[in-house]
Amino acid sequence: MHRRVSVRTATVRAQAAAVRGVPVGLYSCWVALTNPRPRGFEFLSSLAGNHPEPPFFFLCVACPTVDSVLKHRGPDWSGLHQYGDCYLAHQRLAIVDPASGDQPLYNEDKSIVVTVNGEIYNHEELRKLLPNHKFRTGSDCEVIAHLYEEYGEGFIDMLDGIFSFVLLDTRENSYIAARDAIGITPLYIGWGLDGSVWISSEMKGLHDDCEHFEVFLPGHLYSSKGGGYKRWYNPPWFSEAIPSTPYDPIVLRETFEKAVIKRLMTDVPFGVLLSGGLDSSLVAAVTSRHLAGTKVAEQWGTQLHSFCVGLESSPDLKAAREVADYLGTLHHEFHFTVQDGIDAIEDVIYHIETYDVTTIRASTPMFLMSRKIKALGVKMVISGEGSDEIFGGYLYFHKAPNKEELHMETCRKIKALHQYDCLRANKATSAWGLEARVPFLDKEFINVAMSIDPESKMIKPDLCRIEKWVLRKAFDNEANPYLPKHILYRQKEQFSDGVGYSWIDGLKAHAADHVSNKMMQNAKNIYPHNTPTTKEAYYYRMIFERFFPQNSARLTVPGGPSVACSTAMAIEWDAQWAKNLDPSGRAALGVHVSACDPTAPPLITAGTNPGVLINKKQSMMEVKKAPELTINS
């Protein structure tokens, strides 16, 4: 049961808690900005005046008397700052400077206040640009307040990292909010009938009390002065013009290694997510190779921890085990059953805030694994999301008709990542107070990879060039190999497939038991927007609508036909795909080695003996356990 708190109840309790000195608030970039006299986007301009009526604001508190709906994201500390009718609240997950980096953060005289969800990897270099500023903490995010004071709104492109933040300038009674280039960190914005503006890291922080809310656009800045968005992230690839830079494997490899190294910035135990596929294996290989000599190695040792999840005997478990043995990591392997996953579906949809089929399929094992990882004392993991979008790694790219179509599809996929894999990676881990970092989505790495002539990314079996050939080739080092050859050239497996093929088949069977044919006949009347076309999609939609019944909520989720995670436009590449619309990689008929024939029966069908699906013993377990982490105070 997920408790909700009414606006007025939360207001009274928050004010009482503030008087008592109890810290209250929600997770990073969570703010309520209001004007008791609704005036659209000009609410802050009236803050300097006298209000004849008390301010009415939204706040869901994190104090002993009330459950916070977002405290899972930041269980380490709660912070609140009030200025007039403005409230900036924060739940902290302490990764860098756990001792003194509590938020909100300020400039020297506290006239600028900022709450941030994210990591600024180049904060030490940026501090050198601010010799006349005095920093209060060692937090990487404090630099944001000082950069704004020095450069104004134009500083955002100077940040190298992932972030969503709200910054309040009390000198001008104004504020700005911004989100990182790709949307790795989530952010939502909403508006109340009373004139309030709400900004939250998750939809559940505002959906009960806003008349309208929406996804805050990645790579954008929202300013109260202008009353709207403007895009601060404008890379060359965004226009989808076809690049022509020749492929240079050394440049690509070195840029990726730099992206991984900068993400080793942490003061807490960390590890890597290792599925045994190309992307996670490269992340693990590069991390393992460069860990020695870093600050984090001095604190926590030079042996890397790796984590994998899957159904017993799944493709990922076997491959991950082999990679871990090759790299010498302390490997933690978790098994789950189909029933374990089914039992978690409602919690997954509540935390991930989507009804997209492929996102839920992949989020569930990641959600289960994240809980186990956090229980080991780990607070940060490095993961391999983003590579398939950049390099055309999904199996449907085998059918790309030419380099122009391939490049434009990769551009579309990167622009949509915040609705799919970034959403999954962030929220599935944050549900348990764990942070995921994604080096493939490093700004500089994307610029280098997306400037390559897409002819090099074309899949050409006659030339032994499989999907993501340019990435594989960059790390194919005979003299000093990063990975075993067969891992380096392993066929793409989507995470929801790699954890075990019976996982998806089991989900379909479960949905078939709960959604009747008659329900499907009326689907377009019940759900006219993004009408579910399968029983599995209908099942997820029912759960989503229970938690998030507002029209604004359903509009935050993308829709449209897809095969093997394609966009709708790419379905036109192969006529037979239109008859086999499923986001699973096995839907890529004629490409995947275990392709699903839609006319064949599923591995697990509705009505199967429940004993096949249900294991009543505790089954989400660590079956290959490395030594416990030693955590020194």
Side-chain angles (χ1 to χ4, degrees), residues 71-93:
K71 192 169 184 178
H72 55 273
R73 293 184 62 90
D76 296 333
W77 189 254
S78 305
L80 172 70
H81 180 88
Q82 177 187 358
Y83 175 77
D85 293 340
C86 302
Y87 292 80
L88 281 76
H90 187 269
Q91 284 292 149
R92 186 184 185 204
L93 177 64

Side-chain angles (χ1 to χ4, degrees), residues 378-392:
V378 171
K379 296 176 73 173
M380 185 272 282
V381 290
I382 307 178
S383 190
E385 280 76 15
S387 172
D388 293 311
E389 287 74 14
I390 295 169
F391 295 105

Side-chain angles (χ1 to χ4, degrees), residues 275-312:
S275 69
L278 173 67
D279 307 328
S280 66
S281 297
L282 286 178
V283 168
V286 173
T287 303
S288 181
R289 184 168 291 202
H290 293 282
L291 183 58
T294 62
K295 179 183 175 183
V296 67
E298 294 175 3
Q299 289 181 289
W300 306 109
T302 58
Q303 193 164 28
L304 182 64
H305 286 260
S306 57
F307 307 95
C308 185
V309 67
L311 302 178
E312 196 164 354

Side-chain angles (χ1 to χ4, degrees), residues 170-183:
T170 64
R171 303 167 307 178
E172 299 183 0
N173 287 331
S174 64
Y175 78 95
I176 62 172
R179 190 177 181 190
D180 65 61
I182 304 300

Side-chain angles (χ1 to χ4, degrees), residues 131-422:
N132 298 323
H133 288 255
K134 183 179 180 180
F135 289 82
R136 298 170 179 269
T137 75
S139 168
D140 53 295
C141 294
E142 186 184 351
V143 73
I144 292 175
H146 299 278
L147 286 171
Y148 173 82
E149 188 175 22
E150 194 74 22
Y151 298 99
E153 295 179 359
F155 77 92
I156 299 177
D157 202 26
M158 300 169 67
L159 302 176
D160 182 5
I162 58 175
F163 54 84
S164 295
F165 70 80
V166 174
L167 182 150
L168 175 65
D169 186 344
T170 64
R171 303 167 307 178
E172 299 183 0
N173 287 331
S174 64
Y175 78 95
I176 62 172
R179 190 177 181 190
D180 65 61
I182 304 300
I184 297 166
T185 58
L187 197 62
Y188 297 83
I189 184 169
W191 297 267
L193 287 174
D194 59 352
S196 58
V197 172
W198 313 34
I199 298 172
S200 174
S201 288
E202 292 188 4
M203 189 164 60
K204 62 182 67 66
L206 48 72
H207 74 105
D208 273 346
D209 300 281
C210 289
E211 182 67 15
H212 174 73
F213 54 89
E214 60 192 38
V215 173
F216 193 107
L217 297 174
H220 279 70
L221 164 74
Y222 182 93
S223 173
S224 64
K225 295 177 182 179
Y229 288 110
K230 64 179 178 181
R231 185 153 57 91
W232 65 263
Y233 180 57
N234 296 282
W237 63 266
F238 211 85
S239 67
E240 301 184 11
I242 311 303
S244 58
T245 303
Y247 166 56
D248 187 329
I250 296 176
V251 170
L252 188 67
R253 183 179 72 227
E254 291 179 349
T255 307
F256 181 69
E257 289 184 309
K258 290 177 183 177
V260 173
I261 293 169
K262 72 176 68 169
R263 282 160 179 79
L264 299 180
M265 181 188 76
T266 176
D267 293 323
V268 298
F270 84 104
V272 294
L273 302 185
L274 179 60
S275 69
L278 173 67
D279 307 328
S280 66
S281 297
L282 286 178
V283 168
V286 173
T287 303
S288 181
R289 184 168 291 202
H290 293 282
L291 183 58
T294 62
K295 179 183 175 183
V296 67
E298 294 175 3
Q299 289 181 289
W300 306 109
T302 58
Q303 193 164 28
L304 182 64
H305 286 260
S306 57
F307 307 95
C308 185
V309 67
L311 302 178
E312 196 164 354
S313 302
S314 72
D316 278 2
L317 291 180
K318 179 182 177 182
R321 200 178 304 131
E322 184 174 358
V323 174
D325 289 343
Y326 182 82
L327 298 176
T329 69
L330 293 177
H331 191 56
H332 306 259
E333 181 180 292
F334 305 113
H335 286 182
F336 76 105
T337 67
V338 172
Q339 190 62 40
D340 289 327
I342 289 171
D343 291 343
I345 288 293
E346 290 201 10
D347 285 336
V348 168
I349 292 175
Y350 174 76
H351 280 286
I352 309 301
E353 302 181 321
T354 188
Y355 51 82
D356 175 69
V357 170
T358 189
T359 303
I360 294 169
R361 289 175 177 178
S363 295
T364 304
M366 194 171 194
F367 176 85
L368 294 172
M369 175 173 58
S370 295
R371 186 177 192 178
K372 288 290 185 179
I373 293 173
K374 185 59 182 292
L376 291 174
V378 171
K379 296 176 73 173
M380 185 272 282
V381 290
I382 307 178
S383 190
E385 280 76 15
S387 172
D388 293 311
E389 287 74 14
I390 295 169
F391 295 105
Y394 291 108
L395 296 184
Y396 73 89
F397 278 96
H398 279 252
K399 301 293 181 134
N402 52 59
K403 71 176 187 179
E404 291 80 11
E405 287 285 342
L406 182 144
H407 180 73
M408 289 188 288
E409 176 71 358
T410 59
C411 292
R412 291 191 291 266
K413 291 290 292 180
I414 296 172
K415 292 175 185 178
L417 265 171
H418 69 284
Q419 298 175 302
Y420 297 100
D421 285 18
C422 289

Side-chain angles (χ1 to χ4, degrees), residues 94-155:
I95 304 292
V96 176
D97 187 23
S100 68
D102 298 331
Q103 298 194 34
L105 297 163
Y106 307 89
N107 66 338
E108 291 87 344
D109 63 4
K110 293 193 174 183
S111 61
I112 296 171
V113 192
V114 63
T115 55
V116 190
N117 168 25
E119 308 289 342
I120 309 303
Y121 302 123
N122 64 336
H123 73 105
E124 292 182 351
E125 290 84 355
L126 292 173
R127 286 177 182 237
K128 295 175 183 177
L129 302 176
L130 303 163
N132 298 323
H133 288 255
K134 183 179 180 180
F135 289 82
R136 298 170 179 269
T137 75
S139 168
D140 53 295
C141 294
E142 186 184 351
V143 73
I144 292 175
H146 299 278
L147 286 171
Y148 173 82
E149 188 175 22
E150 194 74 22
Y151 298 99
E153 295 179 359
F155 77 92

